[in-house]
Amino acid sequence: MTTPDSAHPDDPHYVHRTGWLRAAVLGANDGIISVASLIIGVAAATPEAGPVLVAGVAALMAGAMSMAAGEYISVSSQADSEQADIRREAEALEATPADEEAELAAIYQARGLSPATAAAVARELTALDPLAAHVRDELGLSDHLAARPLQAALASGVTFSAAAAVPLVAAWLAPAGAIMVTVVAVSIIALAVLGALGAKAGAAPLVPATLRVVGWGVFAMATTAAVGRLFGVSV
Ligand SMILES: [Zn+2]
C-alpha cells in the first residue's frame, strides 16, 4: 500500500520525529546536567583540576552507557508489547474474522461514519490487508511511532556524550581556579540552546521550554555545589 503525498510537503508534521527527538533531547539534557553537576561538585570539594577532569570523563562514559542501556531496555519492552498485541490480533483475525470486521466497522462508526459507510470501509480494508487495518485503527500503531530500541539507544547515547562534552571541555579549558564559574556559565548557555532547539524541533512554545531546561539545570548544579562544598570542608 503506497503512502499518499502530503497536502503540505513544505510544512511536515512533527509526529514522526517524536521517537528519536524525545530520546535525543533527554540524552543531551541529561548529559549537560549530570556531568556539569558532577564536575561542579568535585570542583567545590577540591581546587585541583586533575580529579575534576577524571571525574568528568568517568561521568561522561558511565552516563552515556547507562542512558543507551536504559533506552534500549525500555523501548525494547515497548516493542515486545507491540509485537505481542499484533500477534494476538493476527490470531483473532484467524479465529473470528467476522467479529473482527464488525469490530473494525464499529471503530469507524465511532469516528463518525454512517453504519453503511463504516461497514463498507471495514469490508474493503479487510479484503485488502486485515492485519494492517487492525494494527493501525484498533491498536493505533503506525510506522511513525513503532518502537525502535537501537535507534533510541543510539540517539540518547550519542547525544548524551556530545552534550556532556560541553561542560567537560569547559572544565578542561577553564583558567586555574575558575573551573566552577566557567562550567556553570557554559552549561547554562548550552542548556538554553538545547531548550530552544528541543522546542523548535517539537514545535513547542520557545520560552517555557527553555526556562524549564535551564531552571532544572541551575537547580541541579547548585545542589551538587553545596554538597561538594560540604565534603570539601569536612574532608
Ligand atoms: Zn481487532
Side-chain angles (χ1 to χ4, degrees), residues 89 92-93 100 103 134 138:
E89 205 49 41
L93 280 164
E100 287 298 311
E103 179 187 46
H134 283 261
E138 183 187 344

Side-chain angles (χ1 to χ4, degrees), residues 9-207:
D10 53 334
D11 180 21
H13 286 297
Y14 295 90
V15 69
H16 63 278
R17 296 183 185 174
T18 46
W20 65 261
L21 179 64
R22 192 193 53 78
V25 170
L26 202 64
N29 190 38
D30 206 323
I32 295 171
I33 292 182
S34 62
V35 172
S37 302
L38 191 130
I39 286 173
I40 288 161
V42 177
T46 168
E48 292 165 54
V52 173
L53 293 175
V54 170
V57 171
L60 188 154
M61 299 304 295
M65 293 316 294
S66 80
M67 280 297 289
E71 272 296 318
Y72 189 84
I73 292 162
S74 72
V75 177
S76 295
S77 59
Q78 184 196 336
D80 291 348
S81 51
E82 283 176 6
Q83 289 312 314
D85 273 350
I86 293 171
R87 257 197 315 279
R88 230 196 330 269
E89 205 49 41
E91 284 157 14
L93 280 164
E94 200 67 38
T96 54
D99 291 353
E100 287 298 311
E101 189 176 319
E103 179 187 46
L104 204 55
I107 289 169
Y108 299 140
Q109 210 174 321
R111 288 184 188 164
L113 292 184
S114 70
T117 310
V121 173
R123 195 170 42 251
E124 278 194 42
L125 290 179
T126 299
L128 201 63
D129 185 342
L131 187 57
H134 283 261
V135 166
R136 186 188 54 243
D137 297 324
E138 183 187 344
L139 302 180
L141 300 176
S142 69
D143 264 357
H144 292 324
L145 298 172
R148 294 186 177 85
L150 205 56
Q151 189 196 58
L154 276 176
S156 64
V158 168
T159 48
F160 182 98
S161 311
V166 174
L168 189 56
V169 171
W172 184 41
L173 297 175
I179 289 181
M180 279 182 73
V181 66
T182 309
V183 171
V184 168
V186 169
S187 300
I188 288 176
I189 295 166
L191 286 170
V193 171
L194 179 70
L197 278 178
K200 192 124 186 46
L206 205 67
V207 175

